[in-house]
Amino acid sequence: NNEDGTKFLLYHAEDVIDFAWSASPHFSLVEKNLDGLNIKLYIYPQKEYLSDRILNAAEYTFNYLENTIGDYPYPYFTIIDPPRNALRSGGMEYPTFITTLSIWGIPENIKFMEETTIHEILHNYFQAMLASNEFEEPWLDEGFTQYFETRIMDETYGTNESRIDLFGLQI
């Protein structure tokens, strides 16, 4: 804490290829610990009821990846769920940090935000940790991410209705 009422914060991460940060006085913090991996979800209070869906998607993803690919090397992971007026910042990935997209009132049988959460976490393996150049060789990152996203969605939510199960339409 500084004498003028401001605060100095210092963050450090080893072997990351990019970084981002987010701040809002309106975020609620919801945390989940997965065997030493501390996941922090920053979400607006009116959408906090969606926290379990987002955090469960993150848990399924990390468990699947640790069982099939390898351990996540960092002790923390941050998920930002941006407010409605900042939705264009949703669906982004940075090492140890993603933004997801939730929509207030979205029914449980439409799993768009779970899919986005899974997809962005996967980038932490195939783009951030492998450090593929997604500009020059996008298939390395997006290709592997999309492949594993489909496998995780199907295994977690079912092959016939992993994305949408609404009015008889199953995708």
Side-chain angles (χ1 to χ4, degrees):
N1 292 324
N2 299 318
E3 291 178 11
D4 63 358
T6 61
K7 186 185 287 188
F8 178 81
L9 301 171
L10 177 66
Y11 295 92
H12 178 83
E14 293 288 335
D15 299 322
V16 297
I17 61 171
D18 199 358
F19 73 94
W21 63 275
S22 181
S24 171
H26 306 293
F27 278 133
S28 290
L29 172 61
V30 182
E31 296 184 77
K32 185 169 199 163
N33 193 292
L34 304 177
D35 296 324
L37 173 59
N38 184 27
I39 301 176
K40 293 183 177 188
L41 168 62
Y42 292 91
I43 190 166
Y44 272 58
Q46 63 269 30
K47 297 192 296 179
E48 196 171 335
Y49 77 97
L50 298 168
S51 297
D52 284 343
R53 290 176 62 183
I54 295 168
L55 290 170
N56 287 341
E59 180 177 5
Y60 302 146
T61 304
F62 282 112
N63 286 338
Y64 184 93
L65 291 171
E66 288 184 4
N67 289 328
T68 58
I69 295 177
D71 291 340
Y72 180 73
Y74 302 104
Y76 48 83
F77 195 82
T78 302
I79 302 171
I80 302 291
D81 184 49
R84 185 183 58 189
N85 64 345
L87 282 180
R88 291 172 67 181
S89 66
M92 291 300 299
E93 74 281 346
Y94 305 92
T96 75
F97 176 104
I98 65 165
T99 61
T100 192
L101 289 169
S102 74
I103 299 169
W104 186 91
I106 191 167
E108 288 193 31
N109 50 356
I110 297 177
K111 295 179 178 59
F112 177 72
M113 70 181 164
E114 290 91 341
E115 185 174 33
T116 302
T117 302
I118 290 167
H119 183 92
E120 301 309 331
I121 290 171
L122 285 162
H123 282 298
N124 271 263
Y125 275 75
F126 300 112
Q127 182 258 348
M129 292 183 338
L130 290 179
S132 63
N133 185 326
E134 64 182 336
F135 178 74
E136 291 181 8
E137 301 288 346
W139 68 272
L140 283 172
D141 176 29
E142 289 297 338
F144 284 112
T145 295
Q146 186 65 52
Y147 172 77
F148 278 97
E149 171 195 313
T150 301
R151 298 203 43 184
I152 293 168
M153 288 292 293
D154 286 350
E155 183 175 300
T156 303
Y157 303 108
T159 57
N160 292 331
E161 64 276 348
S162 64
R163 286 161 180 82
I164 296 174
D165 183 11
L166 187 63
F167 307 123
L169 174 66
Q170 293 180 318
I171 299 174

